[in-house]
Amino acid sequence: MNISELRAQLEEDLAWRLDELRRLRNALLGNLEEDSWPASAIRALIVMQYAHLEGFVRNAFSLYVTAINGEVLDASNIHPNLFASAMISEFESLRTGGGEQESEDARLTRRARKQVEFVKKLIAAGKSPLSIDSDVAVSMEMNFGTDVLRRTLYRLGLTEDSINNSHYSSLEFIRNARNDIGHGSRRERISPRMFEAHRVKCEQFMNDIVRLITTAVTEQWYRVQPIGSSGAR
């Protein structure tokens, strides 16, 4: 996937999502003055806003992972955070296993066996091209917010300051409001001004994700030695 194809896919995905949100907003709010916006309409818009935020971010970062996998890099050339991301399933296998009725001797033996198996897989991974499973590395946990975003950025070798700090509070507002609506604990009317401010920030955030990923691919931030100086992360 070249940079033009990547940018086109990102922009196409963003465009239809923003268009759907605007159509829904127009259908629910029309030309009503802010003071007359129904509480139910704002709640519906927030739930849809969250859905598109999570969906877009998951798809965007999955495209980034696809671009990285397409480079067919080995452990010596790929960013160490991405190497770790390629091994997430192995880490989980090492961490879990065994049953509650397992004896202490069996538990110790199983743990030692798993450690050896992990080292063997790590050595094998270091000798061949790495492949990152985007479903694992870019999991949104069905609860996308600042914690999941920070983890995803870190897993992909991108720093937190890649994203404008002002966006984080808006992501949390949308997630928390959506969760409260889903749990039935937020029935009161959300301030239209607050809703609009966070809506705009979230749309800016989605546009920033497009720029971040296209820059990261252009400057090859996924490599140990990226092309662009700004990619030394």
Side-chain angles (χ1 to χ4, degrees):
M1 180 189 307
N2 61 43
I3 189 63
S4 296
E5 293 172 336
L6 174 64
R7 183 183 292 109
Q9 289 189 48
L10 289 168
E11 291 178 347
E12 180 181 0
D13 189 46
L14 176 59
W16 84 262
R17 292 179 186 278
L18 293 182
D19 182 63
E20 181 166 274
L21 287 170
R22 287 168 187 149
R23 286 175 181 272
L24 180 61
R25 184 176 184 277
N26 290 336
L28 294 177
L29 302 178
N31 296 320
L32 292 174
E33 295 293 330
E34 282 190 2
D35 291 342
S36 301
W37 288 1
S40 58
I42 297 177
R43 288 200 296 269
L45 288 167
I46 285 176
V47 171
M48 185 61 77
Q49 178 89 62
Y50 171 84
H52 278 303
L53 271 172
E54 179 181 303
F56 175 74
V57 172
R58 182 178 61 246
N59 184 58
F61 283 128
S62 293
L63 286 172
Y64 182 51
V65 169
T66 298
I68 295 169
N69 287 339
E71 293 294 298
V72 196
L73 300 173
D74 59 28
S76 64
N77 291 310
I78 201 168
H79 191 292
N81 293 35
L82 290 164
F83 186 4
S85 291
M87 302 294 293
I88 290 175
S89 295
E90 307 306 333
F91 292 139
E92 285 300 301
S93 177
L94 182 66
R95 184 180 65 84
T96 60
E100 293 183 1
Q101 304 303 318
E102 190 177 39
S103 69
E104 182 63 19
D105 286 346
R107 184 179 299 109
L108 291 174
T109 302
R110 173 185 55 77
R111 186 178 302 164
R113 185 179 296 112
K114 276 178 162 287
Q115 290 169 346
V116 172
E117 290 174 353
F118 175 78
V119 170
K120 288 180 178 179
K121 290 177 180 178
L122 187 63
I123 293 172
K127 294 179 179 179
S128 59
L130 293 171
S131 179
I132 302 169
D133 184 345
S134 61
D135 288 338
V136 175
V138 188
S139 172
M140 297 289 105
E141 307 291 347
M142 296 182 69
N143 196 29
F144 175 67
T146 58
D147 49 354
V148 172
L149 175 60
R150 288 188 173 108
R151 183 189 67 180
T152 303
L153 290 170
Y154 187 77
R155 280 180 170 177
L156 301 183
L158 305 169
T159 59
E160 286 186 24
D161 60 12
S162 300
I163 302 297
N164 188 311
N165 191 57
S166 67
H167 294 333
Y168 286 101
S169 61
S170 292
L171 295 179
E172 279 303 286
F173 170 81
I174 294 296
R175 174 174 70 169
N176 291 335
R178 169 263 193 178
N179 287 345
D180 289 346
I181 292 167
H183 298 151
S185 59
R186 184 187 283 265
R187 300 183 183 182
E188 74 278 8
R189 184 170 180 268
I190 296 169
S191 164
R193 289 187 179 181
M194 180 183 294
F195 164 70
E196 279 293 277
H198 288 301
R199 179 188 65 80
V200 170
K201 282 289 185 183
C202 286
E203 291 188 6
Q204 291 173 347
F205 163 75
M206 294 164 83
N207 278 285
D208 285 352
I209 289 291
V210 173
R211 286 190 287 270
L212 169 64
I213 291 176
T214 52
T215 300
V217 172
T218 300
E219 299 188 357
Q220 299 183 5
W221 293 358
Y222 46 80
R223 289 181 177 272
V224 172
Q225 295 183 328
I227 294 174
S229 58
S230 61
R233 319 186 90 72

